[in-house]
Amino acid sequence: MLCVAIGYPLAVGRGFKLYSGRVIALGRLLLAMLFMAAIGIDISQPALAPVETYTLLFGYQAFAAVIVALTWNNWWLDARLAGPAHAVDVIMFTVLVYLTEGYTSPFFIFSVFVLLSAAIRWGWRETTLTAILVAILYLFAGLVAARTSMDFHFYRFIVRAGQLVIMSLILIWFGIHQWRARMPSSAEELYAEPRLDKSPLETGLSASMLALGASSGAILWTEAGSNPVGLSAREGQITTIPIEEGQVGSAPFLYDIGRHRALSRDSDRNLVTQEPAELIGGDLAQAFDLSEGLAVPVRTGTGEGQLFLQGVHLSTDHLDIGEQLAVDLAGHIQRHELLQAAAESAAAQSRIALARDLHDSVVQFLAGAAFRLEAMRRSEGAGRRIEPELNELKKLMLQEQGELRAFITALRTGGRVAFADLSRDLGSLADRLSRQWAIDCDFAAEEAEVMMSTDVHLDAHQLVREAVANAVRHAGAKSVRVGLSGSREAVRLEMVNDGAAYPKRGDQIDLPKSLRERVELAGGVIDLSRGMGVTKLSISLPVEGRRA
């Protein structure tokens, strides 16, 4: 918190980014300057060896300034100098405590900076070792002060030691739970919803570059059982790069190929140096024109790949940011796969529904027409005139053509339909079915003030068509009675025919598959019963249609 408080006012400048390495380096320099000012103001300090103390503080300020200059924009030196600088901080803490009032030194707070630096940079083991070392050195300085000073207050010594131990335990806990750097706040909208018209690799690469402010990037991706795919992004243009093979690392790493440097974390979150060639491979580095940047391995259930981001002001924080980036990019790719699967499923369902609609309208009409033509052929053989029946069939074909056009228009426009319109249209349909199949098809409807989805209107038409066709063709029915009623929740159809009973499977009546599937797709209920020599088919459809 101390380092963040020191660095925050400076973060308001345009383009100024305070990564943890910069915060630690800047905090060290400001504390060294504060120590010098504090001793200069307090005439009682330093209590011991004034010349040596001032010399030491001047040297420490110079050391802190050099560390800031060397590591501000150099992630490699920041990582390599972190250990030596940390050792100097521990030594300075011990010496300053001894030279300035011993166990009651005002520079006791410097121990918090030392422990905080360890917790941010390394894992819990290094934080624990630092805490133990600082506590031992503090106790040593306190005991030396006790032996050389007559004004030794034991309770103050115990209180300070207790504070040091408690602070150490808190920061060790943070180290155990992996104190991670957070993604920049501008990355809250890192990935937009996937788009089916673009590859998730392209949108994911662009979003990742935007999140970290990268000037260029590349991604290698291999689907299971497929050849690798390479994409490179420079100056707003994404191009495909031919890649024959490539390896994917196990963790994010920083790389500087020109200087043969690579940095990653092991399973204990300790920094590990490696050769870039071991992690990237010469062919891949040349194909993507890699120089210096962050590499992030990404894995999903169907493939794996490696993301490369360059032109970023790197720090060791990006190793933690890379882990978050990998999760976000993998989720983006998986969401695209899910969206694509849903779109394919919806398209398949649309094809099935359209095929069913064509079957229940055009195919059934053609079957009815064939039925009428066969009857005409027999009439002609018996010497009867068939011209009136041909004219009737022609009229029915024109009516069917008009209904098919209306059906296509309804599919395009959607909207809602009044119950009265459905009643009128089903009445006309029943009349045509009577003439088409040469049967008695009566229609009766109750009055209802109901508005329904276009889906319900279309489904009701096709269900009546299919039910009448099944009754005539498969049950030999001579008459069908169609009833319609409605409420705020559902539209109900009842169709009674005098044909033969439907076949059974065991004790259950075998419902026609086309009817059952259409009702299920509409979210409705279908029931079939037999008695008194007639078959009754009851269907209930929700007024909201398939959306319900």
Side-chain angles (χ1 to χ4, degrees):
M1 293 298 294
L2 175 64
C3 298
V4 174
I6 292 172
Y8 180 77
L10 299 176
V12 297
R14 184 177 180 181
F16 191 87
K17 294 184 178 180
L18 285 181
Y19 301 120
S20 59
R22 291 179 177 179
V23 172
I24 292 172
L26 189 60
R28 178 186 295 109
L29 176 60
L30 295 180
L31 284 173
M33 295 170 63
L34 179 63
F35 293 158
M36 179 65 75
I39 289 180
I41 294 173
D42 189 352
I43 60 175
S44 66
Q45 297 298 330
L48 300 172
V51 176
E52 290 80 359
T53 301
Y54 278 107
T55 302
L56 183 64
L57 282 175
F58 274 119
Y60 188 57
Q61 284 186 83
F63 168 78
V66 169
I67 293 295
V68 170
L70 291 177
T71 64
W72 193 258
N73 287 314
N74 194 315
W75 55 269
W76 176 260
L77 287 179
D78 178 46
R80 301 296 289 176
L81 296 179
H86 190 66
V88 172
D89 292 339
V90 173
I91 293 171
M92 282 300 301
F93 165 72
T94 306
V95 174
L96 285 173
V97 166
Y98 176 73
L99 294 176
T100 56
E101 300 183 10
Y103 65 92
T104 62
S105 170
F107 304 119
F108 176 80
I109 193 64
F110 192 42
S111 63
V112 177
F113 170 79
V114 173
L115 292 172
L116 189 60
S117 300
I120 291 175
R121 284 190 178 278
W122 301 292
W124 68 272
R125 291 185 176 87
E126 288 74 11
T127 307
T128 303
L129 291 174
T130 299
I132 293 173
L133 180 60
V134 168
I136 291 174
L137 292 176
Y138 174 75
L139 291 174
F140 176 76
L143 292 174
V144 172
R147 296 186 61 181
T148 58
S149 174
M150 297 296 295
D151 189 24
F152 179 76
H153 300 280
F154 183 73
Y155 76 93
R156 292 184 180 178
F157 177 71
I158 294 299
V159 169
R160 286 293 183 93
Q163 291 174 349
L164 182 59
V165 171
I166 293 172
M167 182 60 65
S168 300
L169 292 176
I170 293 173
L171 293 178
I172 290 171
W173 183 90
F174 275 107
I176 292 175
H177 289 78
Q178 300 181 356
W179 189 337
R180 295 174 181 263
R182 290 188 174 272
M183 192 78 72
S185 58
S186 60
E188 291 181 358
E189 299 179 359
L190 177 60
Y191 295 104
E193 286 299 318
R195 295 175 51 181
L196 289 177
D197 60 337
K198 285 193 175 183
S199 163
L201 300 181
E202 292 185 18
T203 54
L205 176 58
S206 300
S208 301
M209 292 173 58
L210 180 63
L212 297 191
S215 61
S216 64
I219 187 169
L220 168 73
W221 188 257
T222 306
E223 291 283 344
S226 302
N227 295 326
V229 175
L231 296 178
S232 177
R234 291 180 182 276
E235 299 179 354
Q237 298 294 323
I238 297 181
T239 56
T240 302
I241 305 296
I243 299 292
E244 294 184 0
E245 61 179 357
Q247 63 189 77
V248 178
S250 58
F253 60 91
L254 306 177
Y255 61 87
D256 186 341
I257 294 177
R259 294 173 177 163
H260 303 285
R261 298 170 177 174
L263 194 68
S264 62
R265 291 190 187 275
D266 60 17
S267 57
D268 294 324
R269 298 189 52 74
N270 296 313
L271 294 175
V272 179
T273 60
Q274 291 178 271
E275 279 286 333
E278 299 175 2
L279 302 171
I280 298 176
D283 295 339
L284 194 61
Q286 184 176 4
F288 285 147
D289 192 21
L290 301 179
S291 56
E292 182 183 24
L294 169 68
V296 180
V298 182
R299 289 178 172 83
T300 68
T302 58
E304 64 177 11
Q306 190 112 284
L307 173 69
F308 300 94
L309 299 174
Q310 301 196 132
V312 180
H313 294 292
L314 295 173
S315 77
T316 53
D317 288 359
H318 285 94
L319 296 175
D320 298 316
I321 293 174
E323 295 180 4
Q324 301 174 39
L325 200 62
V327 173
D328 290 335
L329 182 54
H332 178 71
I333 295 172
Q334 289 173 325
R335 284 195 298 273
H336 182 275
E337 293 173 350
L338 183 61
L339 183 62
Q340 190 173 42
E344 291 174 354
S345 176
Q349 289 185 0
S350 297
R351 289 194 298 270
I352 293 172
L354 183 58
R356 186 183 296 112
D357 290 337
L358 291 174
H359 172 269
D360 294 348
S361 57
V362 178
V363 175
Q364 292 291 7
F365 174 79
L366 293 176
F371 188 85
R372 290 290 299 274
L373 289 171
E374 177 63 23
M376 291 179 202
R377 187 182 66 82
R378 292 174 183 172
S379 297
E380 185 182 24
R384 294 171 56 187
R385 293 180 63 223
I386 63 171
E387 184 177 354
E389 295 188 36
L390 284 174
N391 291 333
E392 177 68 17
L393 183 58
K394 179 180 178 181
K395 184 178 179 181
L396 289 173
M397 292 181 70
L398 291 174
Q399 290 176 340
E400 185 67 25
Q401 183 183 17
E403 185 165 317
L404 185 58
R405 285 176 177 169
F407 166 71
I408 294 173
T409 302
L411 286 177
R412 288 175 176 172
T413 59
R416 300 184 71 80
V417 180
F419 182 85
D421 294 334
L422 176 62
S423 176
R424 182 196 63 228
D425 293 343
L426 288 184
S428 299
L429 177 62
D431 181 62
R432 292 200 305 274
L433 291 175
S434 295
R435 291 177 285 152
Q436 177 182 336
W437 293 104
I439 63 170
D440 293 328
C441 187
D442 299 325
F443 176 77
E446 300 176 1
E447 292 186 2
E449 296 294 330
V450 177
M451 296 296 293
M452 68 196 72
S453 168
T454 304
D455 294 341
V456 179
H457 186 270
L458 296 175
D459 286 334
H461 267 69
Q462 306 300 4
L463 287 168
V464 171
R465 283 178 177 273
E466 180 70 8
V468 171
N470 283 340
V472 175
R473 298 175 61 191
H474 303 302
K478 300 301 181 183
S479 67
V480 179
R481 187 174 69 253
V482 180
L484 175 68
S485 61
S487 65
R488 292 183 178 180
E489 291 77 25
V491 171
R492 289 180 291 276
L493 287 169
E494 287 189 355
M495 289 165 280
V496 180
N497 71 78
D498 60 358
Y502 278 85
K504 288 186 176 183
R505 288 188 180 182
D507 296 333
Q508 299 294 325
I509 299 176
D510 191 11
L511 284 168
K513 183 179 179 181
S514 59
L515 291 173
R516 185 179 68 251
E517 288 181 349
R518 180 177 289 278
V519 173
E520 289 176 353
L521 181 62
V525 178
I526 185 171
D527 180 64
L528 187 66
S529 59
R530 178 74 180 178
M532 304 293 291
V534 296
T535 300
K536 180 180 179 182
L537 185 66
S538 300
I539 298 173
S540 177
L541 303 174
V543 294
E544 294 300 323
R546 296 169 189 176
R547 291 176 298 175

